[in-house]
DNA sequence: TCATAAGTAGTAATAATTATTATTTACAGA
DNA sequence: TCTGTAAATAATAATTATTACTACTTATGA
């Protein structure tokens, strides 16, 4: 999972505008900035982290707007809320299937793809469970920075 | 993942007492009741859910004690905090490796084992990440009850 | 341009969790 | 069994994360 370059980001933002219009969401300055910031982030930021980054460019934005916008975009499937053990929710704009390695020490979330896992068949035990729409692997451990930094 | 029967529960509780002593944790009535309740639960209850169940038998227990105890037991590896998208944290005493199917509608968390996944090799992409200590699969979807109940 | 409903900022409120403190209890040692 | 002591608890207050309220602003379609 690499950062989007300047061109990619423009494409993403255009797609985002179109998706908003399709979903009857107004394309506001705030929504664009929140989405842009999240799309170029690589660290699965929390609402507060995004707020602190965006306020530098958009000094009047409110934390409430960031929370509200993230909830709206999540509801419309434009961004994802990431499961963590932390108290603050974290988000990402990367919608391509991928998985997470999480550092128990510093909380860093690293993206990776894992085709082998994506293709493993779900156990029979679960055949009667219901309708499965998503599968994710979460690896937990201590990242290299934290191992060294000890 | 089946419920513990009466005998299993007694064994679990004895092991729990021993683990507490080994960890220099006093074996209090509250800790025993909280662990007992969690050990026989099958629904990954939140602190509040546990509190509401325990207070029937132990009318003076405080919610704070439930939170504090769960944090203590988690720190000593006697229980697990379960990752969810919800605002309330959820817990389990089942320490045998297993995975979760989560209903997006009702929030139910179903345990299952998945040997095929347990044995799949972690992708090369992640070889330099750090020390991986745990791997979990999370399946998301709509459980049968919720599909029917619509 | 203009009407209007959706969205926002600022602030208040709520929900979940953690801290403080006086009291109680587990348990090691006599 | 009794006792001293540190750890744990109950009650309550405080904090943190998130959501609600409301008057004002803005995107958008006519
Ligand atoms: Mn990710
Ligand atoms: Mn479980
Ligand atoms: Zn780390
Ligand atoms: Zn369900």
């Amino acid at each position: 999972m690499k950062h989007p370059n300047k061109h990619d980001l423009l494409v993403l933002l255009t797609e985002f505008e179109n998706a908003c219009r399709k979903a009857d969401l107004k394309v506001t300055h705030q929504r664009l900035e929140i989405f842009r910031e999240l799309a170029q982030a690589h660290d699965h930021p929390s609402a507060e982290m995004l707020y602190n980054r965006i306020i530098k460019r958009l000094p009047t934005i409110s934390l409430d707007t960031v929370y509200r916008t993230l909830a709206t975009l999540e509801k419309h499937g434009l961004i994802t809320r990431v499961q963590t053990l932390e108290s603050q929710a974290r988000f990402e704009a990367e919608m391509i299937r991928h998985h997470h390695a999480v550092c128990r020490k510093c909380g860093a979330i690293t993206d990776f793809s894992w085709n082998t896992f994506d293709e493993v068949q779900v156990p029979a035990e679960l055949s009667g469970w219901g309708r499965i729409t998503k599968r994710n692997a979460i690896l937990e451990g201590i990242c290299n920075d934290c191992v060294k930094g000890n």
Side-chain angles (χ1 to χ4, degrees), chain A:
Chain A
M1 305 290 140
K2 59 202 174 317
H3 293 204
N5 60 31
K6 240 173 214 173
H7 174 67
D8 293 340
L9 190 58
L10 271 176
V11 173
L12 280 175
L13 283 171
T14 308
E15 286 173 1
F16 174 71
E17 291 195 28
N18 292 338
C20 282
R21 296 217 167 84
K22 192 173 292 179
D24 274 314
L25 295 175
K26 287 186 179 173
V27 178
T28 66
H29 195 24
Q30 289 87 339
R31 282 179 178 158
L32 279 169
E33 286 307 309
I34 291 168
F35 182 82
R36 182 211 307 283
E37 196 66 51
L38 188 58
Q40 58 191 359
H42 53 296
D43 57 349
H44 307 80
S46 66
E48 204 183 0
M49 287 160 76
L50 282 172
Y51 172 73
N52 287 325
R53 292 170 196 179
I54 293 165
I55 203 172
K56 290 169 190 165
R57 278 179 284 126
L58 238 180
T60 63
I61 201 168
S62 75
L63 182 55
D64 169 75
T65 296
V66 177
Y67 273 107
R68 194 166 13 78
T69 300
L70 290 170
T72 304
L73 300 187
E74 188 203 4
K75 190 168 67 188
H76 288 84
L78 301 176
I79 65 170
T80 303
R81 184 182 299 257
V82 178
Q83 286 195 2
T84 68
L85 294 170
E86 298 161 28
S87 49
Q88 284 188 250
R90 294 173 68 169
F91 299 86
E92 66 182 340
E94 177 61 74
M95 302 304 281
I96 296 168
R97 171 161 51 185
H98 68 279
H99 308 283
H100 289 146
V102 182
C103 177
R104 274 211 318 278
K105 186 119 188 253
C106 69
I109 302 175
T110 305
D111 292 333
F112 67 97
S113 43
W114 196 1
N115 295 88
T116 330
F117 166 67
D118 297 338
E119 286 155 19
V120 170
Q121 191 156 12
V122 167
E125 187 180 349
L126 235 89
S127 52
W129 181 79
R131 186 185 317 281
I132 293 166
T133 57
K134 204 176 166 195
R135 66 159 78 180
N136 277 102
I138 297 183
L139 304 189
E140 234 178 277
I142 310 287
C143 78
N144 256 332
D145 286 352
C146 288
V147 170
K148 281 187 258 161
N150 246 348

